[in-house]
Amino acid sequence: MKDLITPKRSLTEETEKMLNKQIVMEGKSSAYYLSMASWCETKGYINSSKFLYEHSNEERGHMLKLFSYINEAGGHALQPAINEIRHDFNSLREVFELILEHELKVTQSIHSLVDHCFITKDFTTFNFLQWFVTEQREEETISRRALEIFDIIGEEGMGLWHIDIELGKLHGVDAKNTDAKAL
């Protein structure tokens, strides 16, 4: 059977390999947040679990966005093997500390991709990745806000209950609006 799409490609093999590595990172993000959501739910942090379930789906969407781009540019997006996902955590605060740490790593990875595309003059992919640059800024802002909630409310007494309620409100927070309010 003859291939339906011409074999010509606009992605270099190196860029395709880097984008596939980003797929792995986004897939692991989705799985990591899904595991965190499940842990939260079993510990009674219902609002935090809802936030993390939604966040897991969002990360999967990022992965699929990369899949489409690679394939449409003549490359081949690869489904990553997802393993070594942590399932137990010491506290709700630790979950959100790990999220910020992870999001900072994702940002570094996106920046490396953007830098590669700029150097190789792959401006189409460079342009495509600008969405991810903006998205990572928002992810970091939300992660920082989550940790601020712990600091503002405190974990003693009814604190964790109130923190869980506030964390549930974080999904969909617009980083631009929260930054403007801080000024």
Side-chain angles (χ1 to χ4, degrees), residues 26-36 56 82 85-86:
E26 300 295 341
K28 283 189 175 183
S29 296
S30 178
Y32 197 32
Y33 297 150
L34 183 61
S35 178
M36 290 172 165
S56 174
I82 306 295
I85 299 299
R86 186 171 168 185

Side-chain angles (χ1 to χ4, degrees), residues 52-136:
L52 288 164
Y53 281 128
E54 289 178 29
H55 205 58
S56 174
N57 283 335
E58 190 176 289
E59 296 298 332
R60 185 173 188 278
H62 299 171
M63 183 180 76
L64 293 175
K65 192 176 194 86
L66 289 162
F67 258 78
S68 294
Y69 182 80
I70 292 169
N71 290 336
E72 289 171 4
H76 184 193
L78 304 174
Q79 168 61 46
I82 306 295
N83 50 31
E84 300 179 21
I85 299 299
R86 186 171 168 185
H87 300 286
D88 291 305
F89 305 92
N90 296 314
S91 67
L92 185 60
R93 183 183 192 101
E94 180 190 34
V95 166
F96 284 89
E97 287 171 344
L98 291 169
I99 290 170
L100 177 58
E101 183 180 308
H102 182 74
E103 290 299 341
L104 292 169
K105 288 178 187 173
V106 173
T107 297
Q108 290 173 345
S109 181
I110 293 293
H111 288 178
S112 292
L113 261 167
V114 169
D115 186 52
H116 164 78
C117 292
F118 187 76
I119 289 168
T120 61
K121 299 189 183 323
D122 180 353
F123 298 117
T124 304
T125 305
F126 178 88
N127 187 52
F128 166 75
L129 290 170
Q130 296 313 299
W131 181 89
F132 287 90
V133 170
T134 302
E135 178 66 15
Q136 276 313 116

Side-chain angles (χ1 to χ4, degrees), residues 137 141 145 173-183:
R137 173 67 165 80
T141 298
R145 297 292 182 249
V173 170
D174 184 349
K176 292 175 199 149
N177 287 340
T178 57
D179 287 343
K181 289 177 189 173
L183 299 174

